[in-house]
Amino acid sequence: MDADKRHELEENELASFLVGAKTWWAKHGTRVLSVLLVIVVAWFGWNLYQKRAREARETAWSNLANATSPEALKQAAQSYADPAYQAMAWLKAGDLLLGRAITPPEAPPEAGAAGTPTTQPADPAPVSDPAADLDEAETLYEKVLGRAEADPVFKLNARLGLAAIAETRGHSDEAAQQYELIQKEAGEHYEAIAQQAKARQARLVELARPVVFGAEPPPEAPKGPEAPEAPDAPTAPMTQPMGD
């Protein structure tokens, strides 16, 4: 086959291909463009979603790290629906409430007292109720235990908080039950928490033992009135002998 014949065949094949491609595009081109457009839009949408989710996550964890009050922590737990995040926020809020109930903040000094300014602050801190703080802390610890997705460490620390609340209320039996559950659930995986619960349980036993006092010493015999001291004897005046 000479070169001219081969060139003619190649041109015919190219023309056939172009005709076929044109026919195929006329039939399926719109659908292909639609699919490509959907893929591009989905790719950009997914990237935008990931970016916003990352920003929301960073903002939420920053708020959790900077929160210093139970109210701020509870609000943070409501703002970000992540199981680990919510469990940590509830746990920290419960710890703050428990600490506030055990050691209430000091009342602000009265106006006009020595060394204090006479003007009152614009919005004084609210006076906390220890009993109400214990009730709220208990509710938050229970919410951590009820969160199935929460990390076991969070749940064990929540039980430590419940045991501390029981101790504060004077319910030693309830506290001992919590410490038993902690040691059972911790096992060998969380030995430090198990040892902590064991030590607190031992302290409960020591506190339950009655204090034995020694015998009181016999009372001393009453002493009578002391005799008055005898006055000093008067000294005779010295006289000078007379000469002869």
Side-chain angles (χ1 to χ4, degrees), residues 17-39:
F17 173 79
L18 292 176
V19 171
K22 184 178 180 181
T23 303
W24 183 90
W25 183 258
K27 184 177 181 181
H28 304 287
T30 303
R31 183 180 301 176
V32 172
L33 287 177
S34 300
V35 172
L36 291 175
L37 181 61
V38 169
I39 293 174

Side-chain angles (χ1 to χ4, degrees), residues 59-171:
T59 301
W61 284 100
S62 177
N63 293 337
L64 181 62
N66 295 327
T68 57
S69 67
E71 293 73 21
L73 287 165
K74 290 186 294 181
Q75 185 177 1
Q78 294 177 353
S79 65
Y80 191 63
D82 178 76
Y85 180 89
Q86 289 183 334
M88 182 175 290
W90 291 332
L91 188 62
K92 290 182 64 176
D95 292 343
L96 289 178
L97 287 166
L98 176 59
R100 192 169 70 182
I102 296 175
T103 309
E106 297 181 358
E110 297 181 359
T116 60
T118 56
T119 57
Q120 291 286 349
D123 48 351
V127 179
S128 61
D129 181 6
D133 287 343
L134 287 178
D135 292 340
E136 190 172 3
E138 184 178 20
T139 300
L140 293 173
Y141 290 142
E142 292 289 354
K143 292 179 73 172
V144 175
L145 293 176
R147 175 68 77 176
E149 306 90 342
D151 191 273
V153 174
F154 294 160
K155 294 185 178 183
L156 291 173
N157 279 278
R159 288 206 179 277
L160 285 174
L162 290 175
I165 290 175
E167 285 192 60
T168 305
R169 291 171 174 168
H171 302 163

